[in-house]
Amino acid sequence: MAVGVLCAVQGSAEAIIVQAVEQTGGRLSVTRRCADLTELLAAAEAGLGRLAVVSGDLDLLDREAIELLHRAGVRVVGIGDATRPWLGERLVALGADLVAVAPHDEASASDVVREALAILGAAPDGAPEPSWPDEHTVRRPARGLVVAVWGPTGAPGRTTVAVNVAAELAAAGRRTLLVDADTYGGSVAQVVGMLDEAPGLAAAARAAGQGTLDLMTLARLTPTIAPDLRVLSGISRADRWPELPSSSLDAVWTVARGLAEWTVIDCGFCLEQDEALSYDTRAPRRNAATLSALEAADVVLVVGAGDPVGIQRLVRGLGELTDLGLGSTRFVLVNRVRATVAGPHPAEAVGQALARYAGVTDAHLVPDDRAALDTALLEARTLREAAPGSPARRVLAGVAARVDALLVATTVEGPVTEPVRA
């Protein structure tokens, strides 16, 4: 049975490609010649084809559109222009499975169709490298590692942990990028003394959606606040969450791996996947930023508060992460551990509770050092700068050292070798 082909190619190349498709001996057949992106997406969602041939300059074509095609089980062949090499690079960045130069005759069209047939055997998320003439090869950035800082609701101290762990990694000589991906109450910019209206993650996501995000663009959006420490600020209002679609953020994390050895992401608390909207693949996801960060993370720091309510939420949160298959490599931190709310031996009480109810035996307990934390917040500095002798800072520095050890033990493309925690 012939595989359906959706053709959305502009200009004279369309007729040449359609003719080449129909000459494949029944293996491929053009089922719809689409005039615009809307028609292409509708045909894909209707199941009219498994392969889409798309012009790189098709109006409104972005990363979200290509992800929608992939969700519909459609492989994407992007058609570029040899006179505009940036167009091919953009198609690669948007996630096309194959990028080819627009054919000008029957022979070159046959070559494009032959390459398209070769990619039909793999799933969209396991696609081979897109092809493009050697002189226009897009170099992928070297791979850094991503650590997501997550914790349940109740302000357990996610931002405090993210900022200070990032600062310690940078102080150790690692190129570090601190990202605010909390779409409910992002505050990294204020904590480190930046303007919260500065273009940050939303601008990076827009560039990624248009296929224009590269190392230079991301570097411009991430000011340096300390040696080896860059910051990508978050959204200034919670109602701007639709500006952070998962398809774009996935590309941001990929480029971030090339900019920094460690990308530390401060996540929101909610893990709900909006099941009521799952029938509509175009609907935005409220918690896409958090879920995208956790899925991309090589390491997850799970933060809970050191009080009875906080421990209960932490135990349930660890269960949620496990149920969703997130955070296979994780470190557990309990913040603000203090005798006034956990009893005369708070460390022992918290340790016993986590061991009994969550199976966690090696949690990092951060003592409540309100004076040092207040000083750091007032002066918009990290604990390392404001109170280097703080007990809380020493624990967080130890966590950063343990996390950083994973970078040494990890190859460029290899997995993190640290055993699963909790």
Side-chain angles (χ1 to χ4, degrees), residues 30-94:
V30 176
T31 54
R32 180 66 62 87
R33 299 171 75 170
C34 305
D36 52 30
L37 181 63
T38 300
E39 185 178 0
L40 174 65
L41 294 176
E45 292 175 2
L48 298 183
R50 286 182 50 210
L51 183 69
V53 185
V54 185
S55 288
D57 54 358
L58 185 68
D59 287 345
L60 303 180
L61 181 68
D62 58 11
R63 190 175 182 87
E64 183 72 14
I66 289 183
E67 181 177 315
L68 289 173
L69 291 171
H70 283 164
R71 290 180 188 172
V74 177
R75 307 304 301 273
V76 180
V77 177
I79 301 300
D81 187 338
T83 64
R84 295 184 291 171
W86 59 266
L87 196 57
E89 296 175 5
R90 178 175 180 268
L91 285 166
V92 172
L94 291 180

Side-chain angles (χ1 to χ4, degrees), residues 51 58 108 127 172 183 196 209 214 231 271 293-294 301 322 362 365 391 400 407:
L51 183 69
L58 185 68
S108 57
T183 57
D196 62 358
D214 55 18
V231 175
L271 299 179
L294 289 171
L301 302 184
T322 300
D362 59 349
L365 307 183
L407 187 63

Side-chain angles (χ1 to χ4, degrees), residues 281-316:
T281 58
R282 300 191 191 187
R285 300 295 193 262
R286 179 65 179 87
N287 305 305
T290 295
L291 294 171
S292 172
L294 289 171
E295 289 168 0
D298 300 286
V299 186
V300 176
L301 302 184
V302 185
V303 184
D307 57 67
V309 174
I311 294 298
Q312 181 188 51
R313 289 171 173 170
L314 176 59
V315 170
R316 291 177 177 174

Side-chain angles (χ1 to χ4, degrees), residues 88-310:
E89 296 175 5
R90 178 175 180 268
L91 285 166
V92 172
L94 291 180
D97 302 294
L98 174 69
V99 179
V101 179
H104 53 82
D105 56 24
E106 183 177 338
S108 57
S110 297
D111 290 339
V112 173
V113 172
R114 190 179 306 110
E115 292 182 44
L117 279 168
I119 70 171
L120 283 174
D125 57 358
E129 289 290 319
S131 63
W132 190 252
D134 291 339
E135 63 271 22
H136 301 314
T137 299
V138 179
R139 297 188 180 277
R140 293 185 178 274
R143 179 183 171 87
L145 296 181
V146 173
V147 53
V149 181
W150 178 85
T153 187
R158 293 180 299 269
T159 300
T160 297
V161 170
V163 169
N164 286 284
V165 167
E168 296 295 339
L169 290 170
R174 300 297 188 187
R175 289 178 288 109
T176 305
L177 173 61
L178 173 62
V179 182
D180 189 347
D182 186 346
T183 57
Y184 288 89
S187 57
V188 168
Q190 294 91 332
V191 169
V192 300
M194 290 175 52
L195 292 175
D196 62 358
E197 293 293 339
L201 187 57
R206 284 194 295 272
Q210 295 300 318
T212 59
L213 184 67
D214 55 18
L215 292 178
M216 292 294 292
T217 303
L218 187 58
R220 286 196 298 269
L221 294 172
T222 53
T224 300
I225 63 169
D228 291 320
L229 179 58
R230 293 176 174 272
V231 175
L232 187 61
S233 59
I235 55 177
S236 57
R237 300 191 312 273
D239 59 359
R240 293 180 59 189
W241 65 265
E243 297 180 36
L244 304 177
S246 60
S247 59
S248 297
L249 291 179
D250 291 343
V252 173
W253 312 144
T254 298
V255 178
R257 291 178 186 272
L259 183 66
E261 294 172 275
W262 276 111
T263 298
V264 181
I265 307 173
D266 181 16
C267 301
F269 67 90
C270 192
L271 299 179
E272 291 178 359
Q273 301 197 57
D274 307 317
E275 294 297 333
L277 299 176
S278 61
Y279 70 93
D280 186 352
T281 58
R282 300 191 191 187
R285 300 295 193 262
R286 179 65 179 87
N287 305 305
T290 295
L291 294 171
S292 172
L294 289 171
E295 289 168 0
D298 300 286
V299 186
V300 176
L301 302 184
V302 185
V303 184
D307 57 67
V309 174

Side-chain angles (χ1 to χ4, degrees), residues 351-405:
Q352 290 178 351
L354 288 178
R356 179 178 180 180
Y357 298 109
V360 176
T361 58
D362 59 349
H364 297 266
L365 307 183
V366 184
D368 187 24
D369 191 355
R370 180 51 49 193
L373 289 167
D374 286 350
T375 299
L377 185 59
L378 176 64
E379 299 176 0
R381 296 195 294 171
T382 64
L383 283 174
R384 180 182 182 84
E385 298 169 320
S390 165
R393 183 253 163 174
R394 286 197 294 269
V395 174
L396 293 174
V399 172
R402 191 171 176 185
V403 168
D404 191 40

